[in-house]
Amino acid sequence: MKVIDHINQANKTLVSFEILPPLKGKGISAIYNHLDPLMEFKPAFINVTYHRSETMFKKQADGSFTKIEVRKRPGTVGICAAIMQHYNVDPVPHLICGGFSKEETENALIDLAFLGIDNVLVLRGDAARNEASFEAEPGGHRYAIDLLRQVVDINSGIYLEEEVKDHGNARFCIGVAGYPEKHFESPNRNTDISYLKAKVDAGAEYVVTQMFFDNRKYFEYVDMCREAGITVPILPGLKPITSKKQMNILPRIFHVDLPTDLSTAIAKCKSDEEVEIVGTEWLLQQSRELKAAGVPVLHYYTLGKPKVIWNVVKEIV
């Protein structure tokens, strides 16, 4: 079932979760152990992130080094199939530009269509660790909107090889990312929203936001999007703070601000256990306010902290 259909058919705020594939070498039980406690909340869908390969150098016997590409968290497509089979819940695999050619993307979309997966979240993805700024894969996409257009083409039965005939159309519901505090590469929020409007006009059916810790920024963002003519659902993305080091890491990596009340409360904590209590309560209050405002979905970035998310969601469902 498509995400947009879940939203349109709901008579209340839905809940969804986002997970990481486990590190290479771990089995599917790592996913089930992570998700099992959360399934009592009947999530409408579960997002599974995609991760590009990292360049590493392996030392050879003669002392020379060979460059190899290593994907530390593979398995997105397989995990999505397992979630569908094990839980009967709709998965939403992420598609990213970084590290993939158009041909590889097309093959992944064909695999997803064969599995009966109806949804994708289209993202540019981050720059590789060895890149000062994002660089497209040779033969790949530079911008998320171009990746989105490839998915739209697949939905229309248009493939890279023009001679492909008598093909069926896919039926992917396409989501994209939004940034209440703007994408760090955009010069301002209005420009950032104009990029989002272009993606919606190209075929995106809903938006999932980057994490934020001040609901006012989400509400302002939605208002600005509506003024710009963006009418699709905008789902708030939510994450708990569970350690002191995140006070510095999250603003640096994700370019988000922490409200003064939150950062002051965290600074007073003597341990990460105390931080987790503060972060859980903050996320709970965020969730209650957003639900009261009638947001379509509360989308939680679980990212290794399913117990914290469980403690929050049990209070609001």
Side-chain angles (χ1 to χ4, degrees):
M1 185 172 175
K2 296 184 177 184
V3 167
I4 195 65
D5 292 334
H6 280 290
I7 293 170
N8 290 338
Q9 295 174 21
N11 56 12
K12 63 178 182 179
T13 296
L14 302 173
V15 170
S16 62
F17 303 120
E18 184 164 311
I19 63 170
L20 294 167
L23 290 169
K24 185 182 291 186
K26 292 190 176 182
I28 194 64
S29 61
I31 295 296
Y32 297 154
N33 292 339
H34 186 93
L35 286 174
D36 279 351
L38 298 173
M39 297 312 296
E40 71 174 87
F41 305 124
K42 297 180 173 55
F45 53 91
I46 296 173
N47 282 33
V48 184
T49 60
Y50 221 130
H51 297 261
R52 67 184 297 169
S53 299
E54 297 180 17
T55 301
M56 303 184 70
F57 293 89
K58 185 176 181 179
K59 190 174 183 179
Q60 304 300 310
D62 62 0
S64 63
F65 289 86
T66 301
K67 186 171 74 170
I68 58 174
E69 297 293 322
V70 176
R71 198 181 306 278
K72 292 185 176 180
R73 293 184 181 272
T76 296
V77 173
I79 290 167
C80 287
I83 286 172
M84 255 194 336
Q85 181 180 29
H86 192 72
Y87 296 115
N88 194 28
V89 172
D90 289 302
V92 183
H94 291 194
L95 289 179
I96 60 174
C97 297
F100 297 89
S101 68
K102 296 174 187 177
E103 182 74 24
E104 289 170 325
T105 296
E106 181 173 271
N107 291 338
L109 288 166
I110 291 170
D111 285 344
L112 293 170
F114 283 154
L115 290 168
I117 293 171
D118 295 332
N119 305 283
V120 291
L121 186 74
V122 169
L123 309 162
R124 188 196 70 178
D126 298 324
R129 292 185 181 183
N130 61 322
E131 296 174 353
S133 60
F134 181 86
E135 297 178 12
E137 184 78 3
H141 296 296
R142 175 68 179 82
Y143 301 104
I145 192 169
D146 296 321
L147 176 56
L148 185 152
R149 287 176 177 138
Q150 184 176 7
V151 182
V152 171
D153 281 346
I154 291 288
N155 281 348
S156 301
I158 300 171
Y159 291 78
L160 295 175
E161 294 80 14
E162 294 182 0
E163 65 271 15
V164 174
K165 304 295 182 184
D166 299 323
H167 39 63
N169 298 357
R171 57 188 303 272
F172 294 112
C173 172
I174 307 169
V176 293
Y179 300 86
E181 298 176 63
K182 87 171 184 64
H183 191 279
F184 72 98
E185 294 178 6
S186 292
N188 53 65
R189 289 175 91 187
N190 286 328
T191 300
D192 196 43
I193 289 172
S194 71
Y195 293 150
L196 179 62
K197 177 67 161 55
K199 288 188 283 188
V200 171
D201 290 345
E205 295 182 71
Y206 69 97
V207 178
V208 181
T209 77
Q210 172 66 281
M211 70 183 74
F212 58 90
F213 298 93
D214 185 343
N215 284 354
R216 290 175 300 178
K217 293 185 177 181
Y218 168 78
F219 294 131
E220 290 170 2
Y221 179 70
V222 172
D223 287 343
M224 292 178 70
C225 286
R226 300 306 183 222
E227 290 172 5
I230 297 171
T231 60
V232 300
I234 300 175
L235 319 185
L238 300 166
K239 173 180 169 57
I241 290 185
T242 56
S243 69
K244 270 199 172 184
K245 66 181 182 181
Q246 288 177 315
M247 274 212 302
N248 304 116
I249 291 175
L250 294 178
R252 176 167 53 86
I253 294 179
F254 296 99
H255 308 277
V256 296
D257 290 336
L258 271 63
T260 301
D261 289 350
L262 177 58
S263 61
T264 299
I266 293 172
K268 292 178 180 177
C269 294
K270 294 180 173 59
S271 67
D272 282 348
E273 287 75 16
E274 291 183 10
V275 174
E276 187 169 301
I277 292 171
V278 170
T280 300
E281 181 59 28
W282 189 273
L283 181 59
L284 177 57
Q285 295 309 316
Q286 272 193 279
S287 300
R288 283 173 170 160
E289 183 179 25
L290 291 164
K291 183 179 180 181
V295 300
V297 181
L298 294 169
H299 183 70
Y300 292 98
Y301 299 112
T302 65
L303 307 185
K305 290 294 180 178
K307 182 61 176 176
V308 174
I309 303 301
W310 186 90
N311 285 333
V312 170
V313 178
K314 73 181 176 65
E315 298 294 333
I316 61 171
V317 295

